Amino acid sequence: MPPEYRTERYDVLVVGAGGAGLRAAIEASAQGAKVGVVSKSLLGKAHTVMAEGGVAAALANVDERDSWRVHFADTMRGGQYLNHPRMAELHAREAPDRVRELEAWGALFDRTPDGRILQRNFGGHKYPRLAHVGDRTGLEMIRTLQDHGIHRGIAFHMETTLLSLLTAGGRVVGAFGYERERGRFLCLEAKAVVMATGGIGRAFEITSNSWEYTGDGLALAYRAGAELIDMEFVQFHPTGMVWPPSVRGILVTEGVRGEGGVLRNSAGRRFMFDDIPDNYRAQTADNEEEGWRYTQGDKNARRPPELLTRDHVARCIVREIKEGRGSPHGGVFLDISWIAQKLANAPEHIQKKLPSMYHQFKELAGIDITREPMEVGPTTHYMMGGIRVHPDTQMSTLPGLFAAGECAGGLHGANRLGGNSLSDLLVFGCRAGAHAAEFARGQAQEAADPATIAAIAARAEAPFERADGGSAEGPYAVQHSLQGRMQALVGIVRIGAEMEQALEELAALEARAAQVAVTGNREYNPGWHTALDLDSLLVVSRAITRSALLRRESRGAHFRLDFPDKDPALGKLNTVIYQDGDGQMQVRQDATPELSAELAAILKEMG
Amino acid sequence: MAEARFQIWRGSGASGELVPYRTEVSPGMVVLDAVHQIQAESASDLAVRWNCKAGKCGSCSAEINGKPRLMCMTRLADLPLEQPITLEPMRTFPVLKDLVTDVSWNYQVKKGIRGFAPRPADAEDGTWRIDPVDVERVQEFRKCIECYLCQDVCHVLRDHHLHDAFIGPRFLLYSAALEMHPLDTADRVAELKKEQGVGYCNITKCCTQVCPEGIAITDNAIIPLKERVADRFYDPVKAFWRMLRRSS
């Protein structure tokens, strides 16, 4: 019997309703396209809401020496020059306008005394560059975009998950998925599709990401024929909560360090001073006093080593823990309470600058961060790689498929600077929406192929049919095994032999996933959703592992114990993942894009 | 390790019942962890809505021992474990399944509120200068995570079901954030009085008590809105003045 489903038609279908998806939808709608948005959760709940520190944009409101050129150079240095230089250029040039536009839509950022948008320091940014709202910048941004978007005639399909993209004649023509509420299938025909599905954190055991972040957009794009790039670069944020167990992995904003928080080991030593990379030595403080002055806005001071890039800080923390100098629960200490030695009203100051951190530790860990240090350790946070896109249009290598935000690759190279994700999603969400609308104008609507849809639906329903025997494995066990193995074998410190082992174990997990059974019916059934998400998690895990094996060097977020140094030759190659004609995953290396003369000159001067 | 007992409402639509579950307690565990553990151990299709698990997204609202709370921010250690913990869906909204309710009404209500309309940019660089004090005043309102616990507890919605006549504390707060936005020029006072029913609120402050963000919803948002409505429509001097102007 053919599956029952409803069909909706759009010019542009946006997949994901975080910052990138909403910004793309607003732009496509502004260009006159009929826009539909699919989101796995309710509107306004996507991970953008968790972004705390701020949005990076060279507004130069706090330090007039800042400019898009410095932001560009900082982004490239942070990404170890594997970034797509044109994307880094567009990002740095356009971020200020995108931030000011948010203000015109109602966002209220913290202010300078003369009433302009205030900016704060963050790791890897030479000048104070992050526009922010306390430590809840992401909430302000997603709410502003959401509230602006609801008045624009955009159709929202909330709590809807996609199972497959639909293609015809070598381009994307829509997508097929299901609504969580009743489990009903939904066919979305579209002339262009924008992927904005965010990250992949659920492939790992310890993560700051919620259940949604199973890499759906990457897996759907890959299976439909698009290329993925830089998949070995997974950002492990240096500071996640480590205790109690139930909160392990929840993010502790870099803003704590931006406001003067310091990292110490069990001996009380500020170990970040012990290992400052050569390419950052000239711009890093060599004593505690200078570091403190930097956090308080002294323009002549250099940044404290706690504000080095995230990859480096995370590795230093891992080293302290491994060498036995960690905190009682397997982390290190992050202390902001010490600033009471410097500021008379320190407790009030901390509560004002970091209200949600104060709240989070007080409620979940019973710790008052104005009085005692936090315990923190690395947590899987962000995928630098993703769907390979054209730098100007954001179109993937599959015509009609666009991507923006975390699920797109290229901007961040080997490591993302804090604050650059919120600016990324604004700049490239806007571009993807505009170009998807333009692409859609030149296309006819293609009807979806019923036979393809029947096959997708049958595959989705299969876990229920396997439940009959009663002996089949459930989806949660497979998901937990996958997360545990990826954490252990392809985590923050990698070794070739372990990753070879991971590939073998992934094959076994793929076989288990193909046999999982779920009980109950299709109505709002988390067991079923978990079973279906396994497909995406497995594709993404394999892509990460294959890419990481091929990169026989250490660079940015990718650290190989068996190849601990940088290889200059590999510094000019990006890793590309694609599916061959037989449906097998292949990996190759492409030369990094050429720098324009203007950008080369900037890097020569400041890189 | 200690064990906690739960009574979790299972069912869909109007029909359902409390079903007993047990699970082991680990240090620092919150109610949402227990629900996930029960899902993985013995009830894989137990429906629950959640995202951030850190009190920032407002997805996991439910009634815990009869009190509207976020499951991710309620620690088991703070509940009396000698009794079973009762978990029920929010009562003000229709149940979809188990702990998941249909909150789509809220999204409809928001769409009906007049959007942000800024005054023209007035600084020479094409933006605005906004006094930090003016920003701080509304930032409290903008902390709202849209968990809808305030809507759940509000008796006008919960007991009197006036969903068609009253927008509820969440959207009075939202209107207040727009009305007091330093750049906004729109006027929402007439709708607040009529379609949005601000008069139905009789200031019992239940919403303020359950707000996980600690927003003083009643004192700082609703009462000032009521004052604006009273000022516009019930001030006798102003009413007389308006009458005079109309007749001339």
Side-chain angles (χ1 to χ4, degrees), chain A residues 376-420:
Chain A
V376 295
T379 180
T380 314
H381 184 52
Y382 190 89
M383 169 49 88
M384 265 74 71
I387 301 166
R388 188 179 203 179
V389 291
H390 184 280
D392 290 74
T393 66
Q394 297 286 290
M395 189 156 87
S396 72
T397 53
L398 177 63
L401 180 67
F402 297 75
E406 186 173 352
C407 77
L411 169 62
H412 306 294
N415 176 60
R416 175 177 70 83
L417 298 185
N420 270 1

Short mmCIF file of all heavy atoms in Angstrom, two decimals, chain A residues 376-420:
data_model
loop_
_atom_site.label_atom_id
_atom_site.label_comp_id
_atom_site.label_asym_id
_atom_site.label_seq_id
_atom_site.Cartn_x
_atom_site.Cartn_y
_atom_site.Cartn_z
N VAL A 376 35.63 22.66 35.36
CA VAL A 376 35.27 22.60 33.94
C VAL A 376 36.19 21.65 33.18
O VAL A 376 37.30 21.38 33.60
CB VAL A 376 35.38 24.00 33.28
CG1 VAL A 376 34.37 24.97 33.87
CG2 VAL A 376 36.79 24.56 33.41
N GLY A 377 35.70 21.16 32.06
CA GLY A 377 36.49 20.32 31.17
C GLY A 377 35.92 20.40 29.76
O GLY A 377 34.80 20.90 29.57
N PRO A 378 36.67 19.90 28.76
CA PRO A 378 36.21 20.05 27.37
C PRO A 378 34.89 19.33 27.08
O PRO A 378 34.61 18.29 27.65
CB PRO A 378 37.35 19.43 26.56
CG PRO A 378 38.54 19.51 27.43
CD PRO A 378 38.02 19.34 28.83
N THR A 379 34.11 19.91 26.17
CA THR A 379 32.83 19.34 25.76
C THR A 379 32.66 19.54 24.25
O THR A 379 33.04 20.59 23.73
CB THR A 379 31.68 19.98 26.56
OG1 THR A 379 30.45 19.41 26.14
CG2 THR A 379 31.60 21.49 26.35
N THR A 380 32.13 18.52 23.58
CA THR A 380 31.94 18.60 22.12
C THR A 380 30.94 19.72 21.83
O THR A 380 29.84 19.73 22.36
CB THR A 380 31.37 17.29 21.57
OG1 THR A 380 32.10 16.21 22.14
CG2 THR A 380 31.47 17.26 20.06
N HIS A 381 31.36 20.66 20.98
CA HIS A 381 30.58 21.88 20.90
C HIS A 381 30.15 22.25 19.49
O HIS A 381 29.01 22.65 19.26
CB HIS A 381 31.43 23.01 21.49
CG HIS A 381 30.73 24.33 21.59
ND1 HIS A 381 29.51 24.46 22.20
CD2 HIS A 381 31.08 25.57 21.15
CE1 HIS A 381 29.14 25.73 22.14
NE2 HIS A 381 30.06 26.42 21.50
N TYR A 382 31.04 22.11 18.51
CA TYR A 382 30.77 22.74 17.22
C TYR A 382 31.49 22.00 16.10
O TYR A 382 32.63 21.56 16.27
CB TYR A 382 31.27 24.19 17.27
CG TYR A 382 30.84 25.03 16.10
CD1 TYR A 382 29.64 25.73 16.12
CD2 TYR A 382 31.65 25.12 14.96
CE1 TYR A 382 29.26 26.50 15.04
CE2 TYR A 382 31.25 25.89 13.88
CZ TYR A 382 30.06 26.58 13.92
OH TYR A 382 29.67 27.34 12.85
N MET A 383 30.83 21.87 14.97
CA MET A 383 31.44 21.26 13.78
C MET A 383 31.91 22.38 12.86
O MET A 383 31.11 23.13 12.32
CB MET A 383 30.39 20.37 13.09
CG MET A 383 30.78 19.88 11.71
SD MET A 383 32.43 19.15 11.57
CE MET A 383 32.12 17.44 11.96
N MET A 384 33.26 22.50 12.72
CA MET A 384 33.79 23.52 11.81
C MET A 384 33.49 23.15 10.37
O MET A 384 33.24 24.00 9.53
CB MET A 384 35.30 23.67 11.99
CG MET A 384 35.73 24.77 12.93
SD MET A 384 35.47 24.37 14.66
CE MET A 384 36.70 23.15 14.98
N GLY A 385 33.58 21.85 10.07
CA GLY A 385 33.33 21.39 8.71
C GLY A 385 31.84 21.36 8.42
O GLY A 385 31.01 21.80 9.23
N GLY A 386 31.50 20.81 7.25
CA GLY A 386 30.09 20.74 6.91
C GLY A 386 29.89 20.66 5.41
O GLY A 386 30.80 20.27 4.67
N ILE A 387 28.70 21.07 4.99
CA ILE A 387 28.36 21.01 3.57
C ILE A 387 29.23 22.02 2.82
O ILE A 387 29.32 23.19 3.22
CB ILE A 387 26.86 21.31 3.38
CG1 ILE A 387 26.02 20.28 4.16
CG2 ILE A 387 26.50 21.32 1.90
CD1 ILE A 387 24.56 20.67 4.33
N ARG A 388 29.88 21.55 1.77
CA ARG A 388 30.76 22.43 1.01
C ARG A 388 29.92 23.39 0.18
O ARG A 388 29.02 22.95 -0.55
CB ARG A 388 31.64 21.59 0.08
CG ARG A 388 32.70 22.38 -0.60
CD ARG A 388 33.55 21.50 -1.50
NE ARG A 388 34.82 22.11 -1.72
CZ ARG A 388 35.79 21.58 -2.43
NH1 ARG A 388 35.62 20.40 -2.99
NH2 ARG A 388 36.94 22.20 -2.58
N VAL A 389 30.19 24.67 0.32
CA VAL A 389 29.36 25.67 -0.36
C VAL A 389 30.20 26.65 -1.17
O VAL A 389 31.39 26.85 -0.90
CB VAL A 389 28.51 26.49 0.65
CG1 VAL A 389 27.44 25.61 1.28
CG2 VAL A 389 29.39 27.13 1.72
N HIS A 390 29.55 27.27 -2.15
CA HIS A 390 30.17 28.38 -2.87
C HIS A 390 30.23 29.57 -1.92
O HIS A 390 29.24 29.89 -1.25
CB HIS A 390 29.33 28.72 -4.11
CG HIS A 390 29.95 29.78 -4.96
ND1 HIS A 390 29.85 31.12 -4.65
CD2 HIS A 390 30.68 29.69 -6.09
CE1 HIS A 390 30.51 31.82 -5.57
NE2 HIS A 390 31.02 30.97 -6.45
N PRO A 391 31.38 30.26 -1.85
CA PRO A 391 31.52 31.28 -0.81
C PRO A 391 30.54 32.45 -0.95
O PRO A 391 30.14 33.04 0.06
CB PRO A 391 32.96 31.76 -0.97
CG PRO A 391 33.37 31.35 -2.34
CD PRO A 391 32.60 30.10 -2.65
N ASP A 392 30.17 32.79 -2.15
CA ASP A 392 29.28 33.94 -2.34
C ASP A 392 27.81 33.57 -2.27
O ASP A 392 27.00 34.33 -1.73
CB ASP A 392 29.57 34.64 -3.68
CG ASP A 392 30.90 35.35 -3.66
OD1 ASP A 392 31.94 34.66 -3.71
OD2 ASP A 392 30.91 36.59 -3.58
N THR A 393 27.45 32.43 -2.86
CA THR A 393 26.02 32.09 -2.96
C THR A 393 25.57 31.10 -1.90
O THR A 393 24.37 30.93 -1.69
CB THR A 393 25.71 31.44 -4.32
OG1 THR A 393 26.39 30.17 -4.38
CG2 THR A 393 26.16 32.32 -5.47
N GLN A 394 26.50 30.39 -1.28
CA GLN A 394 26.19 29.33 -0.32
C GLN A 394 25.54 28.11 -0.95
O GLN A 394 24.96 27.27 -0.26
CB GLN A 394 25.29 29.86 0.83
CG GLN A 394 25.95 30.94 1.66
CD GLN A 394 27.01 30.38 2.57
OE1 GLN A 394 26.73 29.69 3.53
NE2 GLN A 394 28.25 30.66 2.25
N MET A 395 25.61 28.00 -2.29
CA MET A 395 25.06 26.79 -2.90
C MET A 395 26.08 25.66 -2.77
O MET A 395 27.27 25.86 -2.92
CB MET A 395 24.70 27.01 -4.37
CG MET A 395 23.92 25.81 -4.94
SD MET A 395 22.90 26.22 -6.35
CE MET A 395 24.08 26.05 -7.68
N SER A 396 25.57 24.47 -2.46
CA SER A 396 26.43 23.31 -2.31
C SER A 396 26.83 22.81 -3.69
O SER A 396 26.47 23.39 -4.71
CB SER A 396 25.67 22.21 -1.55
OG SER A 396 24.68 21.66 -2.39
N THR A 397 27.54 21.68 -3.73
CA THR A 397 27.92 21.12 -5.02
C THR A 397 26.73 20.43 -5.70
O THR A 397 26.84 19.98 -6.82
CB THR A 397 29.08 20.10 -4.85
OG1 THR A 397 28.70 19.14 -3.86
CG2 THR A 397 30.35 20.81 -4.40
N LEU A 398 25.59 20.38 -5.01
CA LEU A 398 24.36 19.85 -5.60
C LEU A 398 23.44 21.03 -5.94
O LEU A 398 23.01 21.75 -5.05
CB LEU A 398 23.67 18.92 -4.59
CG LEU A 398 22.33 18.31 -4.98
CD1 LEU A 398 22.48 17.40 -6.20
CD2 LEU A 398 21.74 17.54 -3.81
N PRO A 399 23.15 21.26 -7.21
CA PRO A 399 22.36 22.44 -7.59
C PRO A 399 21.02 22.50 -6.84
O PRO A 399 20.34 21.48 -6.67
CB PRO A 399 22.13 22.23 -9.09
CG PRO A 399 23.31 21.43 -9.54
CD PRO A 399 23.61 20.50 -8.40
N GLY A 400 20.68 23.70 -6.39
CA GLY A 400 19.42 23.90 -5.69
C GLY A 400 19.51 23.68 -4.19
O GLY A 400 18.59 24.05 -3.47
N LEU A 401 20.61 23.10 -3.73
CA LEU A 401 20.79 22.89 -2.29
C LEU A 401 21.79 23.91 -1.75
O LEU A 401 22.93 23.97 -2.20
CB LEU A 401 21.29 21.47 -1.99
CG LEU A 401 21.50 21.18 -0.50
CD1 LEU A 401 20.17 21.16 0.25
CD2 LEU A 401 22.23 19.85 -0.30
N PHE A 402 21.33 24.69 -0.79
CA PHE A 402 22.16 25.72 -0.16
C PHE A 402 22.39 25.33 1.30
O PHE A 402 21.67 24.50 1.84
CB PHE A 402 21.45 27.08 -0.24
CG PHE A 402 21.25 27.56 -1.65
CD1 PHE A 402 20.25 27.00 -2.47
CD2 PHE A 402 22.06 28.54 -2.20
CE1 PHE A 402 20.08 27.42 -3.78
CE2 PHE A 402 21.89 28.97 -3.52
CZ PHE A 402 20.90 28.41 -4.30
N ALA A 403 23.38 25.93 1.92
CA ALA A 403 23.61 25.63 3.33
C ALA A 403 24.18 26.86 4.03
O ALA A 403 24.93 27.63 3.42
CB ALA A 403 24.57 24.45 3.49
N ALA A 404 23.81 27.04 5.29
CA ALA A 404 24.30 28.18 6.06
C ALA A 404 24.40 27.83 7.53
O ALA A 404 23.70 26.94 8.01
CB ALA A 404 23.37 29.38 5.88
N GLY A 405 25.26 28.56 8.22
CA GLY A 405 25.43 28.34 9.65
C GLY A 405 26.33 27.14 9.91
O GLY A 405 27.17 26.79 9.09
N GLU A 406 26.12 26.49 11.06
CA GLU A 406 27.04 25.44 11.49
C GLU A 406 27.10 24.28 10.50
O GLU A 406 28.15 23.64 10.33
CB GLU A 406 26.66 24.92 12.88
CG GLU A 406 27.66 23.93 13.43
CD GLU A 406 27.40 23.52 14.87
OE1 GLU A 406 26.52 24.12 15.52
OE2 GLU A 406 28.10 22.61 15.36
N CYS A 407 26.01 23.96 9.82
CA CYS A 407 26.02 22.79 8.94
C CYS A 407 26.77 23.05 7.64
O CYS A 407 27.00 22.12 6.87
CB CYS A 407 24.62 22.25 8.70
SG CYS A 407 23.65 23.20 7.53
N ALA A 408 27.14 24.30 7.38
CA ALA A 408 27.96 24.60 6.20
C ALA A 408 29.43 24.65 6.63
O ALA A 408 29.73 25.04 7.75
CB ALA A 408 27.55 25.94 5.60
N GLY A 409 30.33 24.26 5.73
CA GLY A 409 31.75 24.28 6.06
C GLY A 409 32.45 25.42 5.33
O GLY A 409 31.90 26.03 4.42
N GLY A 410 33.68 25.72 5.76
CA GLY A 410 34.51 26.64 4.99
C GLY A 410 34.97 27.87 5.73
O GLY A 410 36.13 28.26 5.64
N LEU A 411 34.07 28.52 6.46
CA LEU A 411 34.45 29.79 7.08
C LEU A 411 35.51 29.61 8.17
O LEU A 411 36.43 30.40 8.28
CB LEU A 411 33.21 30.47 7.68
CG LEU A 411 33.48 31.68 8.59
CD1 LEU A 411 34.17 32.81 7.82
CD2 LEU A 411 32.19 32.19 9.22
N HIS A 412 35.34 28.57 8.98
CA HIS A 412 36.14 28.51 10.21
C HIS A 412 37.44 27.73 10.09
O HIS A 412 38.25 27.77 11.02
CB HIS A 412 35.29 27.92 11.33
CG HIS A 412 33.99 28.65 11.53
ND1 HIS A 412 33.95 29.95 11.97
CD2 HIS A 412 32.71 28.28 11.30
CE1 HIS A 412 32.67 30.34 12.02
NE2 HIS A 412 31.91 29.34 11.62
N GLY A 413 37.64 27.01 8.99
CA GLY A 413 38.88 26.27 8.82
C GLY A 413 39.06 25.24 9.92
O GLY A 413 38.15 24.47 10.22
N ALA A 414 40.24 25.23 10.54
CA ALA A 414 40.58 24.19 11.51
C ALA A 414 40.10 24.51 12.92
O ALA A 414 40.16 23.66 13.80
CB ALA A 414 42.09 23.97 11.53
N ASN A 415 39.63 25.72 13.14
CA ASN A 415 39.16 26.10 14.48
C ASN A 415 38.36 27.39 14.38
O ASN A 415 38.75 28.32 13.70
CB ASN A 415 40.35 26.33 15.41
CG ASN A 415 39.91 26.83 16.78
OD1 ASN A 415 39.17 26.17 17.48
ND2 ASN A 415 40.34 28.03 17.13
N ARG A 416 37.21 27.40 15.06
CA ARG A 416 36.35 28.57 15.03
C ARG A 416 36.62 29.46 16.24
O ARG A 416 36.76 28.97 17.36
CB ARG A 416 34.88 28.15 15.06
CG ARG A 416 33.91 29.30 15.15
CD ARG A 416 32.48 28.86 15.12
NE ARG A 416 32.05 28.15 16.30
CZ ARG A 416 31.65 28.73 17.44
NH1 ARG A 416 31.67 30.05 17.56
NH2 ARG A 416 31.26 28.00 18.46
N LEU A 417 36.67 30.76 16.01
CA LEU A 417 36.78 31.70 17.12
C LEU A 417 35.39 31.88 17.75
O LEU A 417 34.38 31.92 17.04
CB LEU A 417 37.27 33.06 16.63
CG LEU A 417 38.65 33.13 15.99
CD1 LEU A 417 39.01 34.58 15.69
CD2 LEU A 417 39.71 32.50 16.87
N GLY A 418 35.37 31.99 19.06
CA GLY A 418 34.12 32.28 19.75
C GLY A 418 33.52 33.57 19.20
O GLY A 418 34.24 34.50 18.88
N GLY A 419 32.21 33.60 19.08
CA GLY A 419 31.54 34.79 18.56
C GLY A 419 31.39 34.78 17.06
O GLY A 419 30.54 35.48 16.51
N ASN A 420 32.22 33.98 16.36
CA ASN A 420 32.13 33.92 14.91
C ASN A 420 30.98 33.03 14.41
O ASN A 420 30.71 33.03 13.22
CB ASN A 420 33.44 33.43 14.29
CG ASN A 420 34.40 34.58 13.99
OD1 ASN A 420 34.10 35.74 14.26
ND2 ASN A 420 35.55 34.25 13.44
#
